[in-house]
Structures are given as structure tokens and as C-alpha cells.
Amino acid sequence: MATKGSDKYRTKFTLDERDIPAKWYNIMADFKTPPPPVLHPGTGQPIGPQDLAPLFPMELIKQEVSQERWIPIPDGIRDVLRLWRPSPLYRARRLEKALGTPARIYYKYEGVSPAGSHKPNTAVAQAYYNKKEGVTRIATETGAGQWGSALAMATQMFGLQCKVYMVKVSYQQKPYRRIMMETWGAQVVPSPSPDTQAGKKILLEDPSSPGSLGIAISEAVEDAATREDTKYSLGSVLNHVLMHQTIIGLEAKKQLEKADDEADIVVACAGGGSNFAGLSFPFAADKLAGKKKKLRLIAVEPSACPSLTKGRYVYDFGDTVGLTPLVKMHTLGHSFVPAPLHAGGLRYHGMAPLVCKLYDEGVIEAVAVPQISTFQAALQFARAEGIIPAPEAAHAIRVVIDEALRCKKAGKRQTILFNLSGHGHFDLGAYEAFLAGKLQDYDYPAEKIEAALRGLPKVSV
Amino acid sequence: MATKGSDKYRTKFTLDERDIPAKWYNIMADFKTPPPPVLHPGTGQPIGPQDLAPLFPMELIKQEVSQERWIPIPDGIRDVLRLWRPSPLYRARRLEKALGTPARIYYKYEGVSPAGSHKPNTAVAQAYYNKKEGVTRIATETGAGQWGSALAMATQMFGLQCKVYMVKVSYQQKPYRRIMMETWGAQVVPSPSPDTQAGKKILLEDPSSPGSLGIAISEAVEDAATREDTKYSLGSVLNHVLMHQTIIGLEAKKQLEKADDEADIVVACAGGGSNFAGLSFPFAADKLAGKKKKLRLIAVEPSACPSLTKGRYVYDFGDTVGLTPLVKMHTLGHSFVPAPLHAGGLRYHGMAPLVCKLYDEGVIEAVAVPQISTFQAALQFARAEGIIPAPEAAHAIRVVIDEALRCKKAGKRQTILFNLSGHGHFDLGAYEAFLAGKLQDYDYPAEKIEAALRGLPKVSV
């Protein structure tokens, strides 16, 4: 399978569907020290499985705390993943040529899923376990709609009902994502909604509230907590969600082998962290085992929402309202509201605890990049490779191009792998603003972050 | 590669990129009688290559009239096709199960191209030959934008400039397709535009003209005819365009072999005819050779624009204005304006002459289906298989489901293959209308068609 002879220009490294990973990789097994405990928001004490039982099926709670290195993927999940997995690995030959770099650039393309991103990898798993434990209905929140559409598709596949609380301003401004969810049979309401006590209360105070992810989370959690038939579902941050995404990196490793190549640099954007974890954790495994010491793993975040590079590594709430358990993570403060970036999936105040632990231990790096330069990178990519990237994925591309140009300057033939986590078909409004010169960069919001950090909960662990 | 053992649920039949066909199939070689000649609109006499030279590069003109059965695909074209080809063949197991049919349903998915449809298969070839013959700029028209975006991407890949005359009403109502073209570097103007004499004339008469495909063709043709550096490009109907699409059917045949299966029924939607031809011509080859006599090839068209099933098989203009050469085809009359169907790609008054010849000889069948039932089929497909189909492709799905239900009734285990020619990411407005019960069917426009047929050009051949 070497890239020689008629394979000189090999571009696409596909796997057979028999090569869909049979097990998820659980990085918890490879940590030298256990991750900091998750704390109850009321008592400040470590929480147990029973605290999470009203919201999640037991199998997912077990996965959340499992120390097993490999967790088998049930056939019922793999049979849905077959619809688009294994996802292709591409060699970006045309981008390499456009850059004139000696570096080899590969990208794993998750935009081939019907929902257009990596999100269905965990949505399918979560829907499966809920179904298996007799749940008939799942409630969730969504901002721009990537997560909501992934879950709408997955619940439809398992015959579950799905209720999505969609941040009202997105509900109004991004009708296509809403219609997508409805096409897959989900019920979508603008949040705040009159369907929950939390929503009613906010509507009473401000009938024209535009909503927020924090409010939508509150509504979805209340919905799940107050209905016997309903559980709650989250699209990132949690350990089990990150683990479900590791099939991305596991496949990519096999595909790089087919390409007779090995990664020197692995890059992915990071909002809540599941996309970055999905690609990088199977590579981080090698580093945690003391191998591949020179391998670099780079998380890319927006400079307007730089939780890893500028946040504090402390206990904070996962949501903006302050209802969730407390987790130790790099955070900008749960009350921090990021600028209205087009990369909606990267507008999160914190970062997945597992990603934070790796960053804290120096296993991974992080870079923050400004908005306009990510769109410049996206445009260059689209014109070379065809695919129009989602604004989130464009953050990774920015750093990939920068690294490839560094290789050019240094005359180094390094191998760069990144995750093209989704296509930009529903983000063309952002491209229009960029092409018209109307896109703006946001200054590093130092004061806002400082203020938010002052509001961190007091925890003594 | 049989579907047994662990392959019991095989869903996806992929090919290696070495399996991208090395030759196009030219059905002209297999006709018993030559197709009717193309006539000059002025003289009524058969046209020769030189008549087409101002508009097309010579290699494409040669392909247009070639009698060779197999025409080699240059590496320069295959190297761009690698970006998404071979496209996957899926077994629609979940749809089969939802229908409870013993039929096996397969679909070839062309939505994996960066432009989201089968159109780039010919756009890339056309850009390649233009580049090779020293052309630096291509002009074309587009309605809803599928063709324009395919050509914008292809010209970008070969470093050609691209000017797209986009029907003004679409330009205003479908900004996403326009932005997509601009992202790939094309210049897009609303047609009628002040950039051509044809456009100026219409704007003078009616400054608020919404435009039409006929007007846009006139502008693009004038642009190409009056500039030394520019040629014209068309996305369907012509022989060479249909031939470029045959890689779809050639790949599908190989993939069905991998699935240990053989098609009994092949279905594709037909607007100009290139999508239907692309899938079906390699199968029609067997029938023309006297083999596979029971194999059914079905073209599906909208009942509001039923050129094959209700049109007349006579000479007519290819455009609505009456500027193009005259071709013998099933036509509703070049002045016929179809109802505003959401399947914009199927709103064409005529049909590719090669498809018409097969229909006339009884090699293929045709079915016309109404709009609402196509969206019912699309929804059922999306909920079973995940992918949200383009409204054009939904026409094929309607007939596939009908045939699968017929198999169920008759207890027949037939194999049905269809082309899912594109995704519906830019058509969610139509899904919204459907879900809200606001979609309408259009009565068979008998009187409008009769009137248009009265305006057919008088030709004596």
C-alpha cells in the first residue's frame, strides 16, 4: 500500500466498513494519576453514579468513570455508524502544492456524516444506550444546531423521540439547521420556551429574551429530570462523549499506515474538546506510554474564547447558569460570554477535563487564532481541495498552514494530520461576510475574562 | 467479497481510487442507427464541428460526435476526480426494513462531491480540455446554482476564470449557492446583467426582469462568442456531457459485483438527462448488445414538466429563446415554462437527444411523479438512511419505493439501483414547506404544453 507506482498521487485512504473500530479507546486507563473528582454543586463533595442516574443511562455513567483501556462498541452502534464510517483520510496534495511546502498534509474528513460533522459519532452511541435501557425520549439543547441535528438523526434511527431546546436567536437566524432536525423527526422549540419552569420564569421577566446556551441547558435538564421517560444528552465535554469520538483517531492511525506514513503533528480545533480528543487521544496514548516523544498534538481555539491558552485550571460549572456539577478545567469563568464568532461550536467558556489534564501535564499544546485569519485559511483550503470547511474546522486549518509554511522555511518534510470536523454548507453567510471584507476580529477580552474569573465558585479540594 | 459472515450487514461498497474508470463509455458506438443530426437554426442544415468551435474546445466537439465506444479519461481529469471519486454505493438496508420489502435497494451517492451533486463529473472534464487548448476563461449560466457551483469549483482547480450568469430571481432567493461559487473564485452576476448586449436589451425593456434560464444562456453564449479568451460550458443535454457522467454507472457496476448482486431495475431522475444517462448508459449497453433483456431502466421526471412521458419527439431549440442549434428530442416546446417546482434541475422543456433515442427505441422507460409524493419519499429515505436528498433525487426515490412495494406485494426479491444525485443541504426551505403542509402539487399543464408545442420550429428532415 506504499505511495509508489500508479499510487504516486494517492489522495484518498479509505477503509472497509469491517475496519470500523470494534472498541473505543479510554484514555483514563493511561493516566499516571487519576483525574480530579467531579463535585456536587451543592455539597462540594465528589459525586457518585447515582447522582447522575436521573439524567443519563447507567451504561454511559459507567463509561464516564471507567478505567478500562478498551471498551467494546456494540454491533447496534456500529451498524448505524456504517452509514458513513469509516470516514475518509485525504492527503491534501493540492494544498501542499499551493503552499509549496515539503510537508505532507493529511486530513480526516468527518463532514461525510449525514449531519455534516463528527457529532453523530457520540449521538448514535448515546441514543443506543438510552434505547437499550428503556428510555423513549431524549431532551437536549443546541446552539447553532450541529449537536441538535446529530442527535435528531441518531434518535430517529433508534425510534426515540427527541426534544431540542434551540437557543432562540439561532432558531430565528439559522432556520436550516432547525428544518434539518425536524426532517429527522425531532421536536424543536425556541429557548426560552413556555414548556419548562426555567423557560417560563425567564419569559416572564423578559418575553423577548434571545436565549442562551445556559438557558437551553437548564430547560433540557429540567425536562429530563422531571419526566420518567426522558433522559438528557450532551454533545461534548464529558468523558464518555470524548471516548465515543476516539474512533476518528483510531481510524486515522490505520489510514496513515496504509499511506506508509506517520504523524509528526496532529491538529484539531477545540471548543468543548470532543473533536480534538477524538482525533488526538489515540495518538496521545503513545506519548503517555513514553513513545513518540517528538509527536506534537495541537488544540486550536479562537483567540476570542481562549480557555486553554488563557483560562485558569480550576473548578467551575459546566454551564453558564451554574446548575451542573463542578469540574476541574481550564475555564474563562462560567459567566463569560464569548463574542459572536461564526465558529459557534468553539464558543464555550471551559474545556473538557480530560483535555485539560493532558494540557496541564504538557502532553498537548494549544494555540489561539483570530477569526479573519481562520477564514483566509478556509478559503485557501476550499480553493485547493474543493471542500468548504466549517468555521470551527478552519481554526485547525489555520495552524496546519502555519506549520506547513514553517516546514517550508526550515526545509523539513514533516507529516501533519488534522481533523476536518465538518463542512460549511450551513455557514456560507460567514463566508459571504468574509469575502465582502465585513468579518471582524475580536480583541482578546482580557477584562471580561478577569471579571468572569472573579465569579468562580469557591471550592476546597 | 460476498455478503456473508461478518459481512451480513454490509452497507457500503467502496472502491479504491485506482478503480476510478480509465475510460468513459460512449453509447453512440452501440446504436444500430445513427442519432438524428443536429441542425443549424438558420439554415436547417446539419451542423459541423466548425459551427461549434467558437463555443467549445475542439476535443469536446470531437467527443460530441465520436463513434468510439471507449474514450480514455486523461490523468489530469482523474487526478481531480480523486478528491471524491469513486463515490460510494450503499445498500439501503434501513429503508428496505422500513418498507418491509424483499427487494434489495442500492444507491450510488453523488452528493459526496464538494459541490454536492454529480455535476462536477463533467465540469472537471470541461475545464480540463478548455485549459489544455489555451482557454483562460469560461462563461456559463445557472438556475438554482448546482451547475454553476460545479463549474466554479472545476475552473478554480485548473486556474481558469469563471463567469456565471445566474438567473436573477435565484441570485436573490438562493444566496448560498452564489456564495459557494464566489468562495471558489467565480464571478457571479444576476441575469439579465448590463454586461452583455442581450442583458442590456432586456433591462432596457424591463429593469426589474426576474430573469430566466433562457436569458442567462443568451448572455453566457454571447460572452463566450464575443471574447477570444472565453468559451462556453453546458451542464447537461449534450452528448459529451452525458458521456462524462457514465463513470457513475461504470463504478456502480463494479460495486454491485463486489456486493455479489445484479440490478433488475435501474432508476434515476431526468431533467436535461445527464444524471439519468450517467447511471443508466453502462447498463443500457448490455441491453443494446441483446443481453439483460429483463433489465428495466427508468427515467423519472416531474409530472409538471413531463418531457419524456408527454412531450413530442421532434426538432426543437435547446434553449427557451431559440438561439441554439435544433436537436431532435422529446420536448414540451421551447417556450414552455414549467411550474416553480423545488426540483429546479428538472425544470427543462426538453431532454437529452441520446436519452430520447433510447426511449423512442423502447430501451428505457419513463415515469412522471407529482411533487408532494416525491417529498414524502424523501422524508422516508432521510429518516431511514440519514442522508437528506436533493428534491431532484427524491423523484428517483419515489419510484424506487413504489417498485420496492410492488416487489413486496408480489413477493419478489428484485434488486433496485438508483442514483442519489445530490444532497438537499441547500433545499431545506422546500422541506420546511413540505413539513408545514404548504407544498403544492401542480396539475398536468396540458393547455400550456399544447400552446408551446404549437410554437415548435418548422423543420423538414
Side-chain angles (χ1 to χ4, degrees), chain A residues 1 6-18 20 76 79-86 90-91 94 107 109 112-116 153 156-157 175-180 182-186 258 378-379 382-388 423-432 435, chain B residues 1 6-18 20 76 79-86 90-91 94 107 109 112-116 153 156-157 175-180 182-186 258 378-379 382-388 423-432 435:
Chain A
M1 288 296 180
S6 68
D7 285 347
K8 208 168 55 169
Y9 297 108
R10 278 205 91 175
T11 295
K12 213 154 62 271
F13 301 89
T14 50
L15 295 173
D16 190 274
E17 69 186 50
R18 281 166 290 199
I20 295 173
D79 279 347
V80 176
L81 297 180
R82 282 169 195 264
L83 292 174
W84 70 93
R85 300 209 78 84
Y90 288 92
R91 169 100 181 258
R94 286 169 190 275
Y107 61 97
Y109 184 39
V112 294
S113 83
M153 185 192 80
Q156 174 65 39
M157 298 278 172
Y176 270 32
R177 278 279 171 200
R178 167 182 57 77
I179 302 166
M180 204 173 191
E182 290 170 347
T183 298
W184 283 318
K258 276 186 88 170
L379 198 76
R383 291 185 175 183
E385 296 288 320
I387 300 168
I388 298 175
H423 60 63
H425 296 173
F426 301 106
D427 305 288
L428 287 169
Y431 278 87
E432 180 172 40
L435 290 167
Chain B
M1 289 294 179
S6 68
D7 286 346
K8 208 168 57 169
Y9 296 109
R10 278 206 89 175
T11 295
K12 213 153 61 274
F13 301 88
T14 49
L15 296 173
D16 190 273
E17 68 188 48
R18 281 166 289 200
I20 295 173
D79 279 347
V80 176
L81 297 180
R82 280 168 196 263
L83 292 174
W84 70 92
R85 301 210 75 85
Y90 288 92
R91 170 100 181 256
R94 287 170 189 274
Y107 61 98
Y109 184 38
V112 293
S113 83
M153 185 193 81
Q156 173 65 38
M157 298 279 172
Y176 270 32
R177 278 277 172 201
R178 166 181 59 75
I179 302 165
M180 204 174 193
E182 290 169 348
T183 298
W184 283 318
K258 275 185 90 169
L379 197 78
R383 292 186 173 182
E385 296 289 320
I387 300 168
I388 298 175
H423 60 63
H425 297 173
F426 301 106
D427 304 288
L428 286 169
Y431 278 87
E432 181 173 40
L435 290 167

Side-chain angles (χ1 to χ4, degrees), chain A residues 114-429:
Chain A
S117 80
H118 64 294
K119 293 284 185 190
N121 295 331
T122 184
V124 169
Q126 293 190 45
Y128 171 86
Y129 289 116
N130 274 287
K131 172 79 175 184
K132 209 178 153 201
E133 295 185 23
V135 178
T136 58
R137 185 172 170 279
I138 298 183
T140 198
E141 72 285 338
T142 199
Q146 287 274 15
W147 169 243
S149 51
L151 192 67
M153 185 192 80
T155 48
Q156 174 65 39
M157 298 278 172
F158 289 102
L160 299 171
Q161 292 177 61
C162 182
K163 170 109 176 230
V164 182
Y165 295 87
M166 186 174 189
V167 177
K168 197 200 273 171
V169 62
S170 296
Y171 183 94
Q172 288 163 341
Q173 288 175 358
K174 305 201 169 182
Y176 270 32
R177 278 279 171 200
R178 167 182 57 77
I179 302 166
M180 204 173 191
M181 294 183 250
E182 290 170 347
T183 298
W184 283 318
Q187 187 196 354
V188 189
V189 292
S191 166
S193 80
D195 301 3
T196 65
Q197 294 305 322
K200 273 182 199 157
K201 186 161 168 263
I202 288 161
L203 285 174
L204 202 67
E205 289 162 9
D206 177 9
S208 66
S209 161
S212 74
L213 206 54
I215 296 169
I217 292 176
S218 305
E219 290 205 90
V221 168
E222 178 189 323
D223 183 318
T226 54
R227 283 183 61 151
E228 198 58 46
D229 61 348
T230 302
K231 298 279 186 199
Y232 171 69
S233 185
L234 196 68
S236 191
V237 182
L238 300 177
N239 302 349
H240 69 269
V241 177
L242 272 57
M243 186 186 73
H244 296 159
Q245 294 292 356
T246 58
I247 46 179
I248 300 171
L250 294 169
E251 286 178 7
K253 277 185 139 183
K254 273 195 202 173
Q255 287 163 312
L256 275 180
E257 270 174 40
K258 276 186 88 170
D260 249 356
D261 215 331
E262 225 175 292
D264 297 303
I265 306 171
V266 174
V267 185
C269 65
S274 76
N275 169 58
F276 174 75
L279 181 67
S280 71
F281 279 11
F283 292 91
D286 296 332
K287 289 179 76 78
L288 290 173
K291 296 181 285 187
K292 306 272 171 76
K293 287 188 183 162
K294 287 190 176 169
L295 173 61
R296 298 173 59 202
L297 309 174
I298 309 176
V300 189
E301 53 187 17
S303 48
C305 190
S307 59
L308 280 174
T309 53
K310 301 280 188 182
R312 205 173 292 167
Y313 189 39
V314 291
Y315 272 92
D316 197 3
F317 296 107
D319 65 332
T320 54
V321 177
L323 292 172
T324 68
L326 291 162
V327 291
K328 191 170 178 190
M329 61 179 174
H330 289 82
T331 178
L332 301 167
H334 62 275
S335 64
F336 173 72
V337 179
L341 292 170
H342 285 286
L346 306 183
R347 296 178 67 244
Y348 182 60
H349 69 274
M351 182 59 68
L354 295 181
V355 172
C356 292
K357 186 167 161 64
L358 289 175
Y359 186 62
D360 187 56
E361 295 179 357
V363 179
I364 65 167
E365 306 168 37
V367 180
V369 292
Q371 176 161 272
I372 290 175
S373 76
T374 64
F375 275 88
Q376 286 164 342
L379 198 76
Q380 188 165 21
F381 183 86
R383 291 185 175 183
E385 296 288 320
I387 300 168
I388 298 175
E392 289 83 0
H395 285 69
I397 299 173
R398 173 72 272 157
V399 170
V400 168
I401 290 177
D402 291 345
E403 290 289 335
L405 293 176
R406 183 190 51 71
C407 285
K408 181 182 182 178
K409 218 168 161 185
K412 277 192 172 175
R413 281 180 60 81
Q414 289 195 302
T415 296
I416 307 171
L417 166 69
F418 76 99
N419 197 13
L420 187 59
S421 52
H423 60 63
H425 296 173
F426 301 106
D427 305 288
L428 287 169

